[in-house]
Amino acid sequence: MAVGRSHEVTVRNSGSCLCLPRFMRLTFAPESLENLYQTYFRRQRHETLLVLVVFAALFDSYILIMCAVVYTSEKLASVSVASVGLAGDIILYLLCRFGLLPDRISRRFVPYSLWVLIASQIFCHLGLDYARFHQASDTVGWQAFFSFSFFLTLPLRLTPIVLITTVSCGVHTLVLGVTIAQQQQENIQGSTLARQVKVEVLN
């Protein structure tokens, strides 16, 4: 009996996941059994998708609370974006919770739409709340948290999850690196200009 079952699991030697460790490339044989398992797995994860929506709503609520603690006119943009994001999270939660969307849209488009919504929220938070004093650690914690949450909650295969996580982290790193480099360049130019003005005044 054990010998027969040992042939039901094999290691995937083709596709886009060859860079993954061997234990992460295990698949059922024949392929129809693997497809059946993947379908069941994604359907089970549609419930956990709601958890990710709640995480996104809590993120927007956190921004609103932090802006309300020390509110200034400069916080208006952050409050507006967070309010729109929170409204979108609530609408998406209700649509998924009560099954108001067609099954095809719910399975194929909602996970990616939620990823886009979360990524845009993080980048808006980065651009609006850290506009004058960017540092290398800005919103990195939130990016890491949601990247980890994608693996736990999104009803997708491993390859799309790895892809969207890589895109999110890569773009976040690129934007933050370019922004910090520009600020440092501006600071250097400002210091140089100040020294030149000082020299001219002394002369």
Side-chain angles (χ1 to χ4, degrees), residues 118-179:
I118 291 174
S120 61
Q121 291 170 354
I122 293 176
F123 284 116
C124 288
H125 181 48
L126 175 64
L128 296 174
D129 295 333
Y130 299 90
R132 296 183 179 179
F133 42 91
H134 283 290
Q135 296 180 359
S137 60
D138 291 347
T139 65
V140 171
W142 287 111
Q143 186 68 57
F145 170 76
F146 280 111
S147 295
F148 179 71
S149 299
F150 292 156
F151 284 93
L152 296 180
T153 58
L154 284 181
L156 300 172
R157 290 177 178 267
L158 180 60
T159 301
I161 295 177
V162 172
L163 180 60
I164 64 177
T165 303
T166 302
V167 171
S168 297
C169 294
V171 174
H172 182 270
T173 303
L174 179 62
V175 170
L176 197 56
V178 171
T179 302

Side-chain angles (χ1 to χ4, degrees), residues 2-203:
V3 175
R5 290 183 178 179
S6 64
H7 292 286
E8 294 178 357
V9 179
T10 183
V11 178
R12 189 185 301 273
N13 293 319
S14 61
S16 57
C17 295
L18 295 180
C19 58
L20 298 176
R22 179 185 176 88
F23 72 91
M24 296 183 68
R25 291 187 285 118
L26 295 177
T27 181
F28 287 106
E31 187 176 354
S32 59
L33 186 60
E34 174 66 18
N35 293 333
L36 180 63
Y37 168 75
Q38 292 293 341
T39 301
Y40 169 78
F41 177 76
R42 289 195 297 272
R43 287 181 177 177
Q44 290 295 106
R45 276 207 168 187
H46 272 285
E47 295 296 328
T48 61
L49 183 66
L50 295 177
V51 177
L52 186 59
V53 179
V54 173
F55 286 163
L58 291 176
F59 172 65
D60 287 318
S61 300
Y62 163 80
I63 296 176
L64 290 174
I65 293 173
M66 295 303 295
C67 291
V69 171
V70 184
Y71 181 79
T72 61
S73 58
E74 297 178 353
K75 299 289 186 179
L76 180 59
S78 297
V79 171
S80 301
V81 171
S83 299
V84 172
L86 182 59
D89 295 331
I90 294 174
I91 293 173
L92 188 59
Y93 179 88
L94 294 176
L95 292 175
C96 295
R97 178 66 179 81
F98 296 104
L100 301 178
L101 292 174
D103 187 63
R104 181 178 181 181
I105 295 178
S106 178
R107 292 182 181 180
R108 294 189 178 184
F109 298 103
V110 170
Y112 296 102
S113 300
L114 182 56
W115 165 60
V116 171
L117 180 61
I118 291 174
S120 61
Q121 291 170 354
I122 293 176
F123 284 116
C124 288
H125 181 48
L126 175 64
L128 296 174
D129 295 333
Y130 299 90
R132 296 183 179 179
F133 42 91
H134 283 290
Q135 296 180 359
S137 60
D138 291 347
T139 65
V140 171
W142 287 111
Q143 186 68 57
F145 170 76
F146 280 111
S147 295
F148 179 71
S149 299
F150 292 156
F151 284 93
L152 296 180
T153 58
L154 284 181
L156 300 172
R157 290 177 178 267
L158 180 60
T159 301
I161 295 177
V162 172
L163 180 60
I164 64 177
T165 303
T166 302
V167 171
S168 297
C169 294
V171 174
H172 182 270
T173 303
L174 179 62
V175 170
L176 197 56
V178 171
T179 302
I180 293 176
Q182 288 179 346
Q183 287 185 348
Q184 291 178 347
Q185 186 66 27
E186 290 175 358
N187 292 335
I188 293 173
Q189 292 176 353
S191 300
T192 303
L193 180 61
R195 286 197 297 269
Q196 291 176 352
V197 172
K198 185 177 180 180
V199 170
E200 291 176 1
V201 170
L202 293 176
N203 293 335

